[in-house]
């Protein structure tokens, strides 16, 4: 529910811009997100996943917090360099910079989420997301309505996320104080960053490959946006981004189901029960196909009405692009579930190699199809890259099951 509320609020920001502003404003907001999100996610190094699974407590929370502060500093320097080198107008550059600040604040909350997850306090994560989503939508929408400016809206977004960060820090202190060995003051000190060079180096070397994989995962959906901005401009980017964001609702369901099923898939694979692994994976892929098929059906029967209801007539002119985006989404849903099987079988190196291939395909397809067919070409390129992703995951799962049946060692 926390993810649903937060994703709906994020989508709501695009709706606010589409209703109160212009496609150019949506395009500028989408461009800032497309630039800053991969940078921040790469420098996040998937610390939250490593932190949540650190059952032997090889590192203290302060070590994770210290490294996160270092990496977001690096992220902000990269965002600043992009802003300077992009030769955009001052207002465009400032939107990108403040989006980087907002995403960096969110990254600090993420390291606290890792602590909550490690202590199995998922209620704190859910409450934080349910607070952050509506608050950011309210502040962002109100500021845009009063000022008519994307820049001030993003500044408001950063401030609202900073307010929620205060809640996360207080939750972290409360959780650490509850530990038997912690007194009140020790709980406060435990949430402070630690600056041990040896610890920071060891943690960085452990998480750097995960950061590279996360970068590619995040980069792939954004590649069409870069090419649309380059070839067609902000107005067309705004239209494409608004249409593509409708996929997020389905992705929220897919992610929740995949995370729920992954432990059972992992146990089935580890126990050598290939039939159970295969059966559950096929059911998940079937659910992905049904959800994707429903999206395609909506786009075919009521695409224009949906776009008119959610956005404006400018967006409703692109029902053909909407249809192809839904086709890409259906393929992506099935590929995401197949990726759960790959992760459950612990073929991590294969995942990194696969995402490198998918990224190369996405770049080549966008370079060819966006100049050729504009927004429809971007949707075609997205569908093609997600098809390669799904087929690659299918191949690795088939390989994993064959090796499991043969009793061979798993390559992780």
């Amino acid at each position: 529910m926390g993810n649903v509320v937060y994703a709906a609020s994020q989508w709501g920001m695009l709706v606010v811009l589409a209703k109160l502003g212009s496609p150019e404003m949506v395009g500028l907001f989408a461009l800032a997100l497309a630039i800053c999100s991969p940078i921040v996610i790469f420098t996040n190094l998937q610390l939250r996943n490593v932190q949540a699974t650190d059952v032997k407590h090889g590192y203290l929370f302060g070590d994770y917090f210290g490294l996160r502060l270092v990496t977001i500093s690096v992220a902000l320097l990269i965002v600043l360099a992009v802003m300077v080198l992009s030769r955009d107008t001052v207002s465009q550059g400032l939107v990108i910079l403040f989006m980087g600040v907002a995403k960096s604040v969110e990254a600090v909350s993420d390291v606290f989420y890792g602590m909550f997850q490690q202590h199995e306090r998922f209620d704190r994560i859910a409450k934080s997301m349910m607070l952050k989503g509506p608050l950011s939508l309210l502040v962002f929408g109100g500021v845009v309505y009063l000022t008519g400016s994307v820049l001030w809206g993003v500044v408001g977004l950063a401030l609202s996320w900073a307010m929620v960060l205060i809640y996360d820090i207080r939750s972290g202190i409360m959780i650490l104080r509850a530990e038997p060995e912690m007194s009140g003051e020790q709980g406060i000190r435990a949430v402070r960053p630690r600056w041990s060079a040896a610890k920071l180096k060891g943690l960085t070397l452990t998480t750097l490959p995960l950061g590279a994989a996360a970068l590619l995962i995040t980069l792939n959906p954004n590649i069409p946006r870069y090419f649309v901005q380059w070839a067609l401009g902000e107005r067309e980017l705004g239209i494409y981004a608004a249409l593509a964001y409708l996929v997020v609702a389905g992705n929220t369901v897919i992610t929740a189901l995949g995370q729920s099923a992954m432990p059972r898939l992992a146990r089935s694979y580890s126990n050598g029960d290939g039939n159970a692994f295969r059966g559950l994976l096929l059911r998940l892929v079937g659910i992905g196909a049904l959800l994707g098929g429903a999206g395609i059906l909506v786009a075919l029967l009521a695409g224009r009405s949906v776009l008119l209801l959610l956005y404006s007539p400018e967006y409703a002119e692109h029902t053909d692009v909407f249809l192809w985006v839904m086709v890409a989404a259906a393929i992506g849903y099935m590929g995401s579930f197949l990726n759960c099987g790959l992760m459950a079988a612990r073929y991590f190196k294969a995942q990194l190699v696969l995402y490198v291939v998918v990224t190369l395909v996405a770049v080549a397809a966008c370079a060819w199809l966006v100049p050729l067919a504009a927004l429809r070409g971007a949707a075609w390129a997205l569908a093609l890259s997600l098809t390669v992703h799904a087929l690659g995951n299918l191949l690795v799962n088939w390989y994993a099951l064959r090796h499991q049946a043969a009793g061979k060692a798993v390559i992780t």
Side-chain angles (χ1 to χ4, degrees), residues 338 390-400:
L338 288 168
L391 291 175
N393 278 312
L394 181 63
L395 182 62
V396 175
N397 277 289
W398 172 78
Y399 179 85

Side-chain angles (χ1 to χ4, degrees), residues 35-372:
I35 290 173
C36 295
S37 293
I39 294 171
V40 174
I41 286 176
F42 168 62
T43 55
N44 277 356
L45 302 175
Q46 293 197 46
L47 275 183
R48 177 178 168 181
N49 291 336
V50 177
Q51 187 181 357
T53 55
D54 186 8
V55 293
K56 295 183 179 180
H57 299 284
Y59 297 94
L60 299 176
F61 172 76
D63 299 320
Y64 292 103
F65 194 9
L67 182 57
R68 176 54 51 87
L69 293 180
V70 171
T71 58
I72 63 172
S73 300
V74 172
L76 285 173
L77 288 174
I78 296 173
V79 170
L80 185 60
V82 170
M83 184 190 77
V84 172
L85 296 174
S86 64
R87 299 180 181 178
D88 288 328
T89 63
V90 174
S91 61
Q92 288 174 324
L94 288 175
V95 170
I96 293 170
L97 178 61
F98 277 102
M99 181 63 77
V101 172
K103 298 300 288 185
S104 296
V105 171
E106 189 177 38
V108 178
S109 283
D110 185 71
V111 82
F112 280 90
Y113 288 180
M115 182 222 290
F116 303 158
Q117 196 169 342
Q118 188 179 35
H119 288 80
E120 297 189 21
R121 290 302 303 270
F122 298 102
D123 58 318
R124 286 287 159 176
I125 301 175
K127 289 175 182 177
S128 176
M129 296 184 78
M130 289 180 180
L131 175 63
K132 180 164 59 177
L135 178 63
S136 59
L137 176 58
L138 180 64
V139 172
F140 180 83
V143 172
V144 170
Y145 176 75
L146 292 173
T147 66
S149 168
V150 179
L151 172 58
W152 287 112
V154 174
V155 171
L157 182 65
L159 290 174
S160 65
W161 285 352
M163 292 169 62
V164 178
L165 175 58
I166 296 172
Y167 169 84
D168 295 332
I169 293 172
R170 291 172 63 87
S171 294
I173 293 172
M174 182 200 71
I175 289 171
L176 291 178
R177 275 179 172 173
E179 293 187 354
E181 67 274 14
M182 289 285 184
S183 66
E185 286 301 314
Q186 285 176 317
I188 295 174
R189 287 197 296 270
V191 300
R192 295 173 181 169
R194 281 169 34 105
W195 305 107
S196 167
K199 290 287 187 180
L200 291 177
K201 179 182 177 182
L203 195 53
T204 301
L205 292 176
T206 299
T207 56
L208 196 57
L210 296 175
L215 171 64
L216 294 176
I217 292 169
T218 309
L219 192 61
N220 279 299
N222 286 311
I223 288 173
R225 300 184 183 193
Y226 302 142
F227 278 89
V228 169
Q229 163 69 13
W230 165 70
L232 306 173
E234 278 183 7
R235 181 182 184 279
E236 298 301 302
L237 173 60
I239 292 171
Y240 175 80
L243 300 181
Y245 207 86
L246 292 171
V247 180
V248 170
N251 275 334
T252 302
V253 177
I254 298 299
T255 300
L257 288 172
Q259 288 176 341
S260 300
M262 203 179 298
R264 188 183 299 180
L265 284 169
R267 285 195 299 271
S268 298
Y269 189 84
S270 178
N271 295 334
D273 192 349
N275 289 332
F277 179 91
R278 188 183 300 107
L280 179 55
L281 193 59
L282 286 174
R283 288 197 296 275
L284 291 171
V285 172
I287 292 172
L290 286 174
L291 284 174
I296 293 171
L297 195 60
V298 169
L300 279 171
L301 299 179
R304 181 174 176 80
S305 299
V306 169
L307 296 178
L308 279 172
L309 175 66
L310 297 178
Y311 301 123
S312 69
E314 290 175 289
Y315 299 86
E317 294 173 3
H318 296 275
T319 53
D320 56 334
V321 180
F322 181 39
L323 175 59
W324 279 105
V325 166
M326 291 296 102
V327 171
I331 299 168
Y333 297 159
M334 291 185 284
S336 294
F337 280 134
L338 288 168
N339 189 67
C340 291
L342 182 151
M343 294 295 288
R346 300 187 64 81
Y347 276 68
F348 300 140
K349 290 180 181 177
Q351 184 193 39
L352 182 57
V353 172
L354 176 58
Y355 272 108
V356 170
V357 173
V358 172
T359 301
L360 293 174
V361 170
V363 170
C366 286
W368 172 40
L369 293 171
V370 172
L372 181 68

